Amino acid sequence: MSKKNGLPCAGGDPLALNRQLCFALYAASRAMTRAYQPMLQELDITYPQYLVLLVLWESEQSGGAGAEIGVGALGKRLMLDSGTLTPLLKRMEARGLLIRRRDSGDERITLVALTDGARGLRPRARDWVESQLDDSAVSRETLEQLRSGLWKLLEGLERSG
Amino acid sequence: MSKKNGLPCAGGDPLALNRQLCFALYAASRAMTRAYQPMLQELDITYPQYLVLLVLWESEQSGGAGAEIGVGALGKRLMLDSGTLTPLLKRMEARGLLIRRRDSGDERITLVALTDGARGLRPRARDWVESQLDDSAVSRETLEQLRSGLWKLLEGLERSG
DNA sequence: GATTTTTATATTGTGCACAATTAAATTGTG
DNA sequence: CACAATTTAATTGTGCACAATATAAAAATC
């Protein structure tokens, strides 16, 4: 039996589970979300909610505190649609993490802005992320290569999609 | 502004979205599932259901037609628990893709086995996967490196979890 | 061999994802 | 200006994921 990376990998079968890039992605993505749970529980947020915070924190870094972003722009950044974001943002608003309001200039647009409470979570998230990088069982170089390869894959999938 | 791979990537911010491996994984995994939709729609199954079929097809390759597998073993293979699998397998049974029955030797175990209908889907899936590999915008070598890096990451995450 | 402990699956409840549809505001055109 | 076409969110419905709990069978222990 041929093996690669210590994993059994039937050489002749193009449908072998361990040979599927799609499954490696699926499993790794969920495992990564699991790895974030300790931090997420401490902040009392979910993983997609954390991604929303990343976008809003980043907007405030460049645009100053109080920066607002529309649901559409947020969705483009995270590659999520309003069917996912609308209820998620409502839950975040209910938890006091952000405010939703209509754009006064274009009433179609719903703008979201961080609260001070959500701003206060940022240093805790940053510290945890940095400590995880320090403790990582995988080398920083491998992580770097992975990230770059994943973006290449994403571009390829977008192009053909 | 520093850039990598043509993507804006704020150099100083450890929480920049485009720098997060977790987000690259999350986005790439969903994009990959989207890329499978044409095939999945033709087979009238969902992506996790396809993964179940991969496991069962593979079992029959090595164990002969009629091979059965318990929910637990299936879950270990796909890294999913019964809370996900039980309803998913019931839906697959309702669609005539598999049969569920209790293990006569150990009544705790629910065994699942493919139907002929599900066996008939295999060549169609295989042909589609192979044609996709041929048409891929990303080189086979890059895909190979990605898959190997993802398994390394998975092992690292499992170890620390 | 009765009882405790463990194992295997199922159930319940919450929160995504995403396709499809709806509704409302804006823009473009005659 | 009227009105059709477009844009933007929200809504609806299905199917995962997963934590927590429940249930029942099998093993282990006494």
Side-chain angles (χ1 to χ4, degrees):
Chain A
M1 165 86 79
S2 79
K3 298 210 177 197
K4 273 187 183 171
N5 311 322
L7 291 156
C9 182
D13 186 357
L15 289 187
L17 182 67
N18 289 336
R19 163 178 294 193
Q20 308 305 307
L21 176 58
C22 66
F23 176 62
L25 272 170
Y26 170 79
S29 176
R30 289 185 301 116
M32 183 63 88
T33 303
R34 268 194 296 278
Y36 271 72
Q37 286 310 308
M39 184 265 280
L40 295 172
Q41 278 190 7
E42 201 191 298
L43 303 192
D44 191 28
I45 55 177
T46 66
Y47 179 71
Q49 290 171 12
Y50 169 68
L51 294 181
V52 168
L53 290 181
L54 285 183
V55 172
L56 289 168
W57 285 333
E58 197 173 329
S59 300
E60 297 208 331
Q61 292 295 104
S62 52
E68 290 175 299
I69 185 172
V71 171
L74 188 57
K76 191 173 177 188
R77 199 75 204 286
L78 298 177
M79 306 179 204
L80 292 170
D81 70 7
S82 69
T84 300
L85 285 176
T86 297
L88 185 156
L89 294 172
K90 283 181 177 175
R91 283 187 289 270
M92 291 182 78
E93 185 176 37
R95 291 199 184 191
L97 294 172
L98 47 81
I99 310 257
R100 291 169 353 115
R101 70 174 186 91
R102 288 286 172 172
D103 186 321
S104 53
D106 184 342
E107 292 281 345
R108 291 173 301 182
I109 298 177
T110 295
L111 294 171
V112 300
L114 291 178
T115 62
D116 284 340
R119 282 185 195 103
L121 301 182
R122 190 175 190 281
R124 295 209 266 159
R126 193 195 52 224
D127 291 351
W128 184 87
V129 166
E130 285 178 342
S131 75
Q132 286 306 113
L133 281 175
D134 293 341
D135 298 355
S136 171
V138 181
S139 77
R140 237 170 250 239
E141 192 192 351
T142 301
L143 299 179
E144 210 40 48
Q145 282 177 358
L146 251 178
R147 198 184 49 136
S148 132
L150 288 170
W151 281 108
K152 260 184 229 152
L153 176 66
L154 258 168
E155 286 170 28
L157 291 173
E158 303 273 277
R159 212 188 328 279
S160 49
Chain B
M1 162 88 80
S2 81
K3 296 211 176 197
K4 275 187 181 170
N5 311 320
L7 291 156
C9 182
D13 186 357
L15 290 186
L17 182 67
N18 290 335
R19 164 180 293 193
Q20 307 306 307
L21 176 58
C22 67
F23 175 62
L25 272 170
Y26 169 80
S29 177
R30 289 185 302 116
M32 183 63 88
T33 303
R34 267 193 297 275
Y36 271 72
Q37 287 311 308
M39 184 264 282
L40 296 172
Q41 279 190 6
E42 201 191 296
L43 303 190
D44 191 27
I45 56 177
T46 66
Y47 180 70
Q49 290 172 12
Y50 170 67
L51 294 180
V52 169
L53 290 181
L54 285 183
V55 172
L56 289 167
W57 286 333
E58 196 173 330
S59 301
E60 296 207 332
Q61 293 293 104
S62 52
E68 289 175 300
I69 185 172
V71 171
L74 189 56
K76 191 172 177 186
R77 200 73 204 286
L78 298 177
M79 307 178 203
L80 292 170
D81 69 8
S82 69
T84 300
L85 285 176
T86 297
L88 186 155
L89 294 171
K90 283 181 178 174
R91 283 186 289 268
M92 291 182 77
E93 185 175 38
R95 289 199 185 193
L97 294 172
L98 47 81
I99 310 256
R100 292 171 351 118
R101 70 174 186 90
R102 288 286 171 173
D103 185 320
S104 53
D106 184 342
E107 292 282 342
R108 290 172 303 182
I109 297 177
T110 295
L111 294 171
V112 300
L114 290 179
T115 62
D116 284 340
R119 283 184 194 102
L121 301 183
R122 190 175 191 280
R124 294 209 269 158
R126 193 195 52 225
D127 290 351
W128 184 87
V129 166
E130 286 178 342
S131 74
Q132 285 307 110
L133 280 175
D134 292 341
D135 298 354
S136 171
V138 182
S139 77
R140 235 171 252 240
E141 192 192 353
T142 301
L143 298 179
E144 210 41 49
Q145 281 178 359
L146 251 178
R147 198 183 50 137
S148 133
L150 288 170
W151 281 107
K152 260 185 228 151
L153 176 66
L154 258 167
E155 285 171 28
L157 291 173
E158 302 274 276
R159 211 188 327 280
S160 48

